[in-house]
């Protein structure tokens, strides 16, 4: 894991920076790097590289927005997310890596479809409020985060339904994924066998890059025209995801 090629090292550094940036700033940017990681490291192995770095980013985000966490809104979908996570763990264990890569690309395009639809509808976008919606959002979030670490847009729709303000949105989102990502660690270590001690050492080495991205994210979220930036990320991520499917 630590014996990286030049390209792999650059991709990991970029990943760490964007993880920090996405966790405290614009969350959609994270999906840009997921297909790139899958291309460079392989489908399942890429999730083993990314997960420890995500946990570092989660810690920065939870600390940054610790005063804006709504525990009830975190815990409500958690049991359903665990069901989705379990389903994702089973699927990920039995499929071949080539299929795994295709599944990552498909999930990312599905999540991008959600983002595009919500952006297009704008203020006219209405979110269902029935119990079935929260159950579905939880299961899909768990499955998507287990397979491709790509559940951000799905969980964002759930939080949108709750009408959270920006900082409350960031804090609640951060704690939810910190819990979920922590639960995924033993699954990937003991069931998927794609994480070892070197994975965590690599994440430790990348802490300064995550911190730099997190600091920039905290600044950018106050300054940037987020809609334009999200459009750019959506286009670039769509191209990256399509690359996995071709």
């Amino acid at each position: 894991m630590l014996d990286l090629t030049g390209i792999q090292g650059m991709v990991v550094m970029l990943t760490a920076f964007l993880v920090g940036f996405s966790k405290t700033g614009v969350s959609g940017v994270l999906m840009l790097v997921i297909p790139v990681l899958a291309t460079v490291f392989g489908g399942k192995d890429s999730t083993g590289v990314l997960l420890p770095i995500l946990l570092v980013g989660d810690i920065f985000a939870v600390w940054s927005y610790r005063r804006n966490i709504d525990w009830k809104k975190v815990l409500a979908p958690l049991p359903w997310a665990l069901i989705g996570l379990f389903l994702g763990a089973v699927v990920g264990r039995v499929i071949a890596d080539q299929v795994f890569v295709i599944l990552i690309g498909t999930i990312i395009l599905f999540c991008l479809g959600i983002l595009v639809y919500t952006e297009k509808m704008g203020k006219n976008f209405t979110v269902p409020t029935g119990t079935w919606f929260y159950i579905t959002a939880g299961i899909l979030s768990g499955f998507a985060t287990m397979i491709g670490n790509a559940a951000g847009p799905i969980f964002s729709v759930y939080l949108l339904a709750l009408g959270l303000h920006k900082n409350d949105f960031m804090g609640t989102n951060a704690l939810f994924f910190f819990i979920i990502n922590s639960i995924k660690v033993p699954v990937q270590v003991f069931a998927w066998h794609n994480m070892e001690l070197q994975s965590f050492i690599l994440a430790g080495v990348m802490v300064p890059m995550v911190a730099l991205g997190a600091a920039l994210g905290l600044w950018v979220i106050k300054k940037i025209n987020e809609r334009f930036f999200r459009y750019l990320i959506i286009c670039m991520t769509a191209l990256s995801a399509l690359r996995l499917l071709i």
Side-chain angles (χ1 to χ4, degrees):
M1 182 64 69
L2 295 180
D3 186 20
L4 303 177
T5 66
I7 292 178
Q8 288 176 329
M10 291 175 61
V11 169
V12 170
M13 291 179 66
L14 176 62
T15 296
F17 177 81
L18 292 181
V19 164
F21 183 80
S22 68
K23 291 295 183 178
T24 62
V26 183
S27 59
V29 73
L30 181 58
M31 287 199 297
L32 175 62
V33 78
I34 294 173
V36 179
L37 274 176
T39 299
V40 173
F41 288 95
K44 190 177 296 184
D45 285 343
S46 70
T47 65
V49 174
L50 180 56
L51 182 56
I53 299 175
L54 283 175
L55 282 169
V56 174
D58 289 331
I59 292 171
F60 276 104
V62 169
W63 175 257
S64 300
Y65 294 101
R66 62 190 181 280
R67 296 184 178 88
N68 303 99
I69 295 173
D70 190 324
W71 276 89
K72 291 183 179 179
K73 293 178 175 59
V74 170
L75 296 176
L78 193 57
W80 307 108
L82 293 178
I83 293 174
L85 190 150
F86 173 76
L87 293 174
V90 172
V91 171
R93 182 174 173 80
V94 300
I95 61 176
D97 192 71
Q98 184 178 2
V99 179
F100 195 97
V101 170
I102 294 174
L103 191 56
I104 290 176
T106 303
I107 290 174
I108 291 173
L109 289 178
F110 173 74
C111 292
L112 281 173
I114 294 175
L115 282 179
V116 170
Y117 179 72
T118 56
E119 287 288 336
K120 182 178 180 180
M121 295 299 294
K123 294 181 179 179
N124 296 321
F125 177 65
T126 57
V127 181
T129 56
T131 303
W132 66 269
F133 168 73
Y134 299 100
I135 293 175
T136 303
I139 293 175
L140 289 178
S141 293
F143 185 84
T145 193
M146 187 72 245
I147 292 296
N149 294 301
I154 300 173
F155 195 69
S156 293
V157 172
Y158 162 74
L159 295 180
L160 181 65
L162 304 177
L164 297 182
H165 295 294
K166 182 170 63 176
N167 285 353
D168 296 333
F169 176 99
M170 296 298 293
T172 304
N173 184 74
L175 181 60
F176 176 82
F177 281 107
F178 174 71
I179 295 173
I180 287 293
N181 287 333
S182 298
I183 295 172
K184 285 160 57 180
V185 170
V187 175
Q188 296 196 204
V189 171
F190 298 110
W192 285 9
H193 306 292
N194 66 336
M195 286 178 59
E196 299 179 350
L197 178 60
Q198 290 90 339
S199 303
F200 296 96
I201 295 175
L202 181 62
V205 173
M206 290 296 115
V207 167
M209 293 301 296
V210 177
L212 182 60
L216 181 62
L218 288 170
W219 180 81
V220 165
I221 199 171
K222 301 176 183 178
K223 304 289 185 180
I224 198 170
N225 183 325
E226 185 173 344
R227 169 161 290 194
F228 171 79
F229 190 79
R230 283 164 65 88
Y231 284 156
L232 177 63
I233 296 302
I234 286 172
C235 292
M236 295 178 67
T237 305
L239 293 175
S240 300
L242 287 172
R243 173 65 181 83
L244 294 180
L245 302 176
I246 298 176

